Amino acid sequence: MPDLSVFSSSYVEARGRFIDAARANGARVYEFRDPREKGPAGEPLCLDVAVAGPENAERVLVAGSGTHGIEGYPGSAAQTAWLLAGGARRLPKKTAMVLFHAHNPWGFAYKARGTEENVDLNRNFIDHGKPYPPNPGYADVHPIVTPESWDDATQAEVFRQLDALRERIGEKAFSTAFNGGQFSHPDGIYFGGQREQWANYAFREAVLKHVSHARHAAIIDFHTGIGPWMEHIYLCFHAEGSPARKRARDWWGERAVNLAGVTHKALADYQGVIIDAFSAMLPKTEVTCVVVEFGTLERKEIQRANMAGRWLRYCGARHPALARKVHEQFCETFYPSDPKWRAAVLEQSREILERGIAGIGR
Ligand SMILES: [Zn+2]
C-alpha cells in the first residue's frame, strides 16, 4: 500500500504539502494569489505552480489539479506524490514538468465544484466580450434540477423528469443541455459565468509565464467523477486524424482517444473548457491535451452530486443538519475516503505522468 498521507483534508494542508514537497525535491514554487477571496479559515487562496526542470525548457508538460475544486484533493495527492518520489530528478533533457496546484482554489478550499460565483471554471474560458453560445435546452433542465428541498422523494421526482426529458430529446441533446455549459442561469448547474473568473485569469497568467516559451507543450487536467470505480478514463478533444490526437495515442495508448470506460452514451458539446484555452493560448507551440478522470460512481450519482452541490450553495443554509450530511456525500462522490481508491489514484497517476514525460521528452 503506498503512503496515503498525501491525501489532505483541507486546502491549507494540501497546499502546504505540495509546496514543501516541491521545495524539498528540486522544484521551484510560484504563486498566483487571489486578491479578494479567502478560504474558510481566512487563508490566502492561490494557484501554486511548481516548476521541475529548466525554466526555459523547450518541452513542457503541465499537470493540473482542482479545476473543479473538490476534485483537486486527489489531483493534489498525485502531484505531491510525484514530487516526493523524486520525479523532478528523472526528467529527460530540455524537459520541464510544471505542476499547477488548485486551478480553482476557492472551490478546493470550500469543497465545492464551482468558483465563488457558482461558475464552473471548466465552462468559463470563452470570450466574454462576445454573445454567449446559446444552450436553449438548459431552460428545460433548470426548473428540474433546482428543487428547494433535497429529500428522497424530491430526488426521485427530479430523476423521473430528467429521464422523461432525455427520452423526449435524445442522449446527445440531453448531455449538451444538462452539462455542456450554460450562460443564462447564474444559480443553475454547469454555469459558465457572465464574466471571467479570477481563477481563469490566474491560469492564463501562469501559462504565459511558465509555458508560452515552449516549442512543445502538453497538459493533463486531473479530474474525478466520471468513470468506473478505481479506474481512470481519458477525454481527448483533439480532432480525429489530427497530429495532436495521434500524439495522445502514442503517449498514453489507444485508451487516450477511444473513450474506453466512458459511461456517457453521448458526450456533450462542451463550451469554454480549460484545456481548449491552453491550446488557444499557444498558437506557435505544438500542443497535446488530455483530461484524466479518476472514476468514482456511475453517471446518475455524479448528476445527483452536482445537483446536491447546487442545492447546498443556495438552500443549504436553511437546513444546516441536512446540509452537513449532503455535503459529506458530495465530498465522498468526488473525493472517496476508501484507501483502496486512493491507492489506485497514486498508482495510476504515476504511470500517466511518467508516460506524459516520456512522450513529450521523446
Ligand atoms: Zn471535473
Side-chain angles (χ1 to χ4, degrees):
M1 178 69 83
D3 176 11
L4 299 182
S5 68
V6 288
F7 288 88
S8 299
S9 56
S10 70
Y11 168 70
V12 174
E13 205 174 88
R15 179 172 189 236
R17 283 184 175 141
F18 172 75
I19 291 172
D20 289 350
R23 291 204 175 124
N25 290 279
R28 295 160 305 282
V29 182
Y30 304 86
E31 70 167 39
F32 298 82
R33 184 177 290 215
D34 188 327
R36 292 163 299 122
E37 299 293 331
K38 296 272 182 285
E43 73 271 29
L45 297 175
C46 302
L47 166 62
D48 291 293
V49 176
V51 180
E55 295 280 347
N56 60 351
E58 68 174 54
R59 296 159 186 274
V60 175
L61 174 65
V62 175
S65 66
T67 302
H68 289 139
I70 179 70
E71 302 173 23
Y73 289 87
S76 167
Q79 293 170 322
T80 299
W82 182 85
L83 288 162
L84 290 174
R89 292 187 286 276
R90 293 192 303 272
L91 291 165
K93 277 199 198 99
K94 300 181 181 177
T95 303
M97 169 73 103
V98 175
L99 300 169
F100 281 16
H101 187 267
H103 288 154
N104 167 14
W106 189 95
F108 196 133
Y110 288 91
K111 299 183 177 171
R113 176 186 172 89
T115 69
E116 63 276 17
E117 295 183 348
N118 187 43
V119 170
D120 184 332
L121 182 61
N122 219 21
R123 306 290 183 274
N124 186 244
F125 287 87
I126 58 165
D127 184 347
H128 292 271
K130 288 194 182 142
Y132 287 111
N135 182 356
Y138 183 75
D140 291 330
V141 170
H142 188 76
I144 304 176
V145 299
T146 52
E148 284 287 310
S149 50
W150 195 249
D151 49 56
D152 291 349
T154 309
Q155 291 173 47
E157 179 57 18
V158 164
F159 279 105
R160 196 191 61 72
Q161 292 187 33
L162 287 178
D163 288 344
L165 179 63
R166 186 190 292 109
E167 285 283 296
R168 186 153 65 77
I169 65 177
E171 285 290 343
K172 171 82 178 174
F174 177 79
S175 285
T176 297
F178 188 86
N179 64 305
Q182 54 89 11
F183 300 86
S184 50
H185 296 67
D187 65 340
I189 59 172
Y190 299 94
F191 174 53
Q194 287 168 350
R195 60 176 175 171
E196 173 193 300
Q197 299 297 284
W198 173 82
N200 171 333
Y201 163 80
F203 176 78
R204 288 183 298 108
E205 285 291 295
V207 170
L208 278 181
K209 182 169 175 188
H210 298 290
V211 190
S212 60
H213 61 270
R215 286 179 52 209
H216 308 271
I219 186 168
I220 304 168
D221 192 25
F222 282 127
H223 289 248
T224 64
I226 311 175
W229 176 252
M230 284 180 60
E231 264 295 328
H232 63 276
I233 57 141
Y234 290 85
L235 296 175
C236 176
F237 303 130
H238 293 302
E240 199 73 59
S242 63
R245 196 175 174 93
K246 182 177 179 309
R247 283 193 298 278
R249 182 190 285 120
D250 289 345
W251 300 358
W252 290 291
E254 198 58 38
R255 66 182 298 178
V257 297
N258 71 1
L259 296 178
V262 176
T263 49
H264 284 54
K265 293 196 184 78
L267 283 184
D269 291 326
Y270 299 105
Q271 303 289 344
V273 305
I274 198 166
I275 61 172
D276 290 345
F278 183 83
S279 289
M281 283 185 69
L282 303 168
K284 296 193 181 119
T285 308
E286 185 190 86
V287 177
T288 313
C289 307
V290 289
V291 170
V292 170
E293 297 260 3
F294 295 104
T296 62
L297 301 179
E298 58 170 339
R299 184 188 186 194
K300 185 174 176 184
E301 295 312 314
I302 303 297
Q303 291 174 335
R304 191 194 309 276
N306 281 329
M307 291 185 279
R310 185 260 161 213
W311 178 85
L312 282 166
R313 193 182 283 253
Y314 291 101
C315 311
R318 293 197 291 279
H319 313 273
L322 176 61
R324 266 194 302 281
K325 225 179 87 196
V326 173
H327 191 233
E328 252 170 52
Q329 283 167 359
F330 174 86
C331 293
E332 195 62 33
T333 301
F334 295 103
Y335 182 26
S337 52
D338 186 334
K340 290 199 288 295
W341 186 88
R342 293 186 175 186
V345 165
L346 294 187
E347 246 162 60
Q348 293 168 28
S349 62
R350 188 179 56 223
E351 191 192 332
I352 292 160
L353 293 171
E354 295 300 328
R355 279 173 173 252
I357 292 162
I360 201 159
R362 224 174 264 156

